[in-house]
Amino acid sequence: MNGRLLDNGFRLLGLVMIGVILCFLLTPIIVTTVMAFDARAYLGPLPPPALSLRWFAQFFSDDYFLRGLSTSVQLAVLSVTISLCVGVTTAFAVERASFAGKEMLISLFLSPLLVPPVVTGFALLLFLSHLGLINGFARLLCGHIIITVPYTIRATLAGLAGIDRSLTEAALILGATERRAFWDVTLPLARTSIVSGAIFAFAVSMDDVAVSIMLTDANTFTLPVALISSMRANFDLSIAAASVMLMLVTLTLIVILEKFVGLNRVIGQGVFRS
Amino acid sequence: MPPSPETVIEFRNVNKRFGATTAVDNVTFTVAAGETISLLGPSGCGKTTTLRLISGFEDPDEGTIEIAGESMVGKRPYERNVGLLFQHYALFPHMTVAENVAYGLKHRHWPKAEIGDRVRDMLRLVQLQGFESRRPGQMSGGQQQRVALARVLATRPRLVLLDEPLSALDAKLREELRLELKQILTAVGSTTIVVTHDQDEAMSLADRIVIMNRGRIEQQGTPDEIYMAPRSAFVAAFIGRTNWFHGRISSAPSDGYFRLTTEAGTTLAIRDPGAVGDDKRSICIRPERIELVGAESAAGKSGDNVLPGQVVDVVNMGAELHYIINAADGRIMIVEPNREGARVRKGDGVKLQFRAEDCVVLPQDAA
Amino acid sequence: MQAGRGSLPLLLPGCAVFLGFFFLPMAGLFLESFRLYVPGSIGSSANAPLTFANYVELLTPAFASFFFETLRVSLLASLAGLLFAFPLAYWMTRSLSARWRAIAVGFFVTLMFLSVLVRTYALELTFGAAGPLRPLLLSLGISPNGRGYIESLVGAGLLHYIVPMATLTLLGTIQNVDPRLVDAAQALGAPAWKAHLTITLPLCMRGLLAAFLFAFTFSISAFVIPMILGKGRVLFISNLIYNRFSEIADYPSGAAISIVLFAVALTIVYVMSHQVLKRWK
């Protein structure tokens, strides 16, 4: 009897915990979304008396944010493109070879994931200053490349690992050279993983704060950096509008990811951010 | 020495090591045009490595491999014109059936106009007409195997290698496809090497069997030779079922037969004991060569071995009857066709009778 | 299959990027941490002598307190995250239909993809001093500007990332545990809670440790979350590094703190993955 009581007690506790945590996860999101449409010009208690798009208008008319957005998008596109080239070639080179230190080499290439982003940014800043590179965009690009490359490498490696070795061998014995087998068999089959890696890299680049904040200069800054400065200076609801926009971007990325790759594959390979 | 024009592949004194393990140990065999041989053996015996050496995915440490007189040294797999049917088919999942079958033709630069016809012909050969635009993922195991076969045969390779062709299928399908496979290979006139661990597959598909164990060739021969005249205990035990007697050659030959005495005291008449150093021998006798006779029947002619025993189990396998008999030297199994049902019951006393000529005499293996 | 030689040129872009954007900068950082800093200048001068002073400075209680606060909040947040994530993952695996589970997975992946700024801002907006909950908090006697509350808020911010991540990790782990084992235990007389404690939990240890590892290293390296939610009162090590850099321009000290943080993160990863995970093979 005692056991059953405890069982029910624990079950109830579990359900309560699940309810609490789901509320906790959702509430800030919901509050922000609602407040983004608040018609008031100040931060007042919930619920907002009237709805309006004023904060969105303010966000889009703010030159500061728009410049940040433009820079962020340019950086993301550029760095992801370069990361893809670097990541895919590296992953292919490592995957094909089989030598003693292979695991270590892979860990080495994935090591930037372990370093606190502030440290990465700081180290890069000192190094690039020493080299005399002071252009803000170039510095930011370097930073964004190094934080996105581990994701493209990891995603490509995961995709390659899923390709049965005998498929490449089948191509070879049927008359294809190594290069043709790569184009005909390996690349098409790894394509979905490579795309998922690109999407992750894009999200990482758009969202990065710590590295960007170290490498930014007065003229060149990313949207997250702009948002943070704005938050510290003037905590108003235009940032709520920006948040809703970013949420939409995230949702779009997720939908693309689900259509292209399937989310189960993403979880299974552990390619998600860590 | 140039090989005769009918030899398609000559594999001579080939060694292959992986680290400390010798996977292929001084292996030599040839295959003539139109012949089907089987490399048969347990896992780890070296048959798969041999296959990979022939197809070019591994290079031998020593020895020569010649296909149609050409040395294969330094030749990559795509330069050998050898066909390989993979154990799990290795069909390209992102291509249609037609694209899969046409892949080899494309890369061997067949003229475009002919490729379409050839693909259609091959699909007709394996009875998959109309499947051109299907994808491998939408097909059953048996259908996939046929596509894989069509893909292999499309380019008219000089040599066809089959890697455990039927092992991925369930038992019923396996039997059906075995016959079909043999018919297709004969129709095409291909020279084939079948690698398998399944003796039924080897016995039914191959003209000659090469039995391998731990990297070495134990014995080569026709299925009949292998079965009736195994030259080692390993081969005897690997193919079919066996009953064993171990003992010493006891007396000089009389009335044309030698005598072997087992530890249990049984004396068996045997033919030629073979020229081995000592007098220890193992006798192997196949279950269907032993006759079950009544306990009261008298001994037969000279050269007949008659032993008493007790029935321990009678197993009705449908088409066959298996009798398990306890004799002085241990358990004996007898197999006979099931014509009128079991003739004895558990616990009955019986006599076993078999001829000296049916005893296969082998040196006593340490194992 | 060989092709070792052929892949060497393929490695060049990767090696160039890693060398130039990572290894050399990190080496430079390491070197910088040993340079002497003269207050008032920007960074160290070109021929500054080498010294251990930057590291010695970290042994003072002032720095140590930052260090321990970071570790403490990170530890609590990680443990709390696991505590909440486990029942959540269990419920998702056992009680949800495949369709709903896929939707839940989608929800958590979306949460993880969501910009850290958005989440942090949302938390500050909802639970912060200027937010709609202010009257409620004051009526409960909690000061929204008090240090305890701010620390908890930072922990909550970490939690907001940790829980989805841990839940997704644990999904796979729990799916690998045969539910019939618990049934068998109950058939042998153990109440459900005991069965889970002695069977499910130990079998999930590897997943739990992996999730904890992710959560903890993420937390101690956190920058944005403590920066926004900490409001300058609660500083994590990453914020300290940034302050050294932006406010004081004491690069050597910033470098030293960076190296220490990096070393701690590496040690934790090494200890967890090799020693502890091995025990639960």
Side-chain angles (χ1 to χ4, degrees), chain A residues 106-180:
Chain A
I106 295 179
S107 305
L108 219 57
F109 277 126
L110 296 182
S111 57
L113 294 172
L114 289 176
V115 179
V118 172
V119 175
T120 311
F122 194 20
L124 204 52
L125 177 70
L126 289 179
F127 184 68
L128 292 176
S129 304
H130 258 112
L131 289 183
L133 184 67
I134 51 173
N135 178 290
F137 191 84
R139 293 198 315 207
L140 282 168
L141 188 61
C142 295
H144 280 233
I145 291 176
I146 197 62
I147 58 174
T148 50
V149 164
Y151 290 98
T152 53
I153 292 182
R154 191 159 64 169
T156 311
L157 278 178
L160 287 176
I163 298 180
D164 195 348
R165 200 156 151 258
S166 60
L167 289 174
T168 327
E169 291 186 349
L172 288 180
I173 198 73
L174 283 168
T177 58
E178 272 91 356
R179 258 177 78 231
R180 282 243 52 97

Side-chain angles (χ1 to χ4, degrees), chain A residues 154-271:
Chain A
R154 191 159 64 169
T156 311
L157 278 178
L160 287 176
I163 298 180
D164 195 348
R165 200 156 151 258
S166 60
L167 289 174
T168 327
E169 291 186 349
L172 288 180
I173 198 73
L174 283 168
T177 58
E178 272 91 356
R179 258 177 78 231
R180 282 243 52 97
F182 171 81
W183 285 107
D184 291 338
V185 178
T186 320
L187 205 55
L189 290 176
R191 195 175 45 196
T192 30
S193 299
I194 297 177
V195 168
S196 79
I199 295 180
F200 272 103
F202 189 81
V204 167
S205 170
M206 285 294 290
D207 188 31
D208 172 75
V209 175
V211 175
S212 305
I213 213 172
M214 298 300 257
L215 297 169
T216 198
D217 68 15
N219 296 319
T220 330
F221 47 87
T222 61
L223 181 64
V225 170
L227 287 174
I228 269 210
S229 318
S230 185
M231 261 188 252
R232 296 169 98 192
N234 169 29
F235 195 81
D236 73 9
L237 290 174
S238 58
I239 307 176
S243 299
V244 172
M245 308 283 307
L246 286 174
M247 282 189 232
L248 285 175
V249 171
T250 304
L251 272 173
T252 316
L253 282 181
I254 294 289
V255 166
I256 296 178
L257 204 60
E258 163 65 22
K259 281 236 127 73
F260 236 110
V261 177
L263 286 179
N264 283 317
R265 172 101 83 99
V266 162
I267 309 301
Q269 292 170 356
V271 187

Side-chain angles (χ1 to χ4, degrees), chain A residues 164-178 180-181 184-185 188-189, chain B residues 52 55 57 76-78 82-84 86 90-95 103-104 107-108 151:
Chain A
D164 195 348
R165 200 156 151 258
S166 60
L167 289 174
T168 327
E169 291 186 349
L172 288 180
I173 198 73
L174 283 168
T177 58
E178 272 91 356
R180 282 243 52 97
D184 291 338
V185 178
L189 290 176
Chain B
R52 292 179 69 81
S55 43
F57 294 117
R76 299 290 297 141
Y78 40 87
V82 165
L84 174 52
F86 290 77
L91 294 178
F92 304 128
H94 57 296
M95 297 186 198
Y103 191 80
H107 285 281
R108 293 192 200 275
R151 188 175 69 173

